[in-house]
Amino acid sequence: MNHKIFYLDGKKINSKQTFLKPAAEAMEFPQYFGNNWDAFDECITDLTWCPAQRYVILYDHADIFAQAEPKNRKPSSCYPHP
């Protein structure tokens, strides 16, 4: 089975601004990524640019961002879990 694993180190992520660029780099988003929540949502829900049967995101230290800006993060339940 073809899996794609993305690793995001969240040690330095404590805001939306410090999340979007490292997330885009870790998940190999296309060049057209717009560096905003709408663009993140578009890229994370349409992974045609990175074909695989399954996707895994390993997000270390996600608690840092969650605690720093609890109102400015998207819950993982916003995204489909096949």
Side-chain angles (χ1 to χ4, degrees):
M1 190 175 282
N2 181 14
H3 290 73
K4 180 65 178 174
I5 300 172
F6 303 110
Y7 174 77
L8 178 58
D9 184 352
K11 286 181 189 172
K12 296 180 182 178
I13 297 173
N14 61 8
S15 69
K16 174 181 157 183
Q17 292 74 26
T18 59
F19 171 79
L20 290 170
K21 185 177 182 202
E25 290 172 357
M27 293 180 245
E28 304 168 12
F29 284 177
Q31 289 289 339
Y32 62 80
F33 174 66
N35 206 38
N36 59 59
W37 280 136
D38 288 338
F40 179 84
D41 184 62
E42 177 184 331
C43 287
I44 201 79
T45 57
D46 178 10
L47 297 169
T48 55
W49 45 267
C50 186
Q53 291 177 328
R54 301 233 186 251
Y55 301 91
V56 176
I57 301 170
L58 301 175
Y59 183 178
D60 267 346
H61 309 286
D63 59 308
I64 296 171
F65 183 20
Q67 291 173 7
E69 291 197 27
K71 294 180 182 176
N72 202 14
R73 63 186 172 97
K74 287 198 173 241
S76 62
S77 60
C78 290
Y79 303 106
H81 304 281

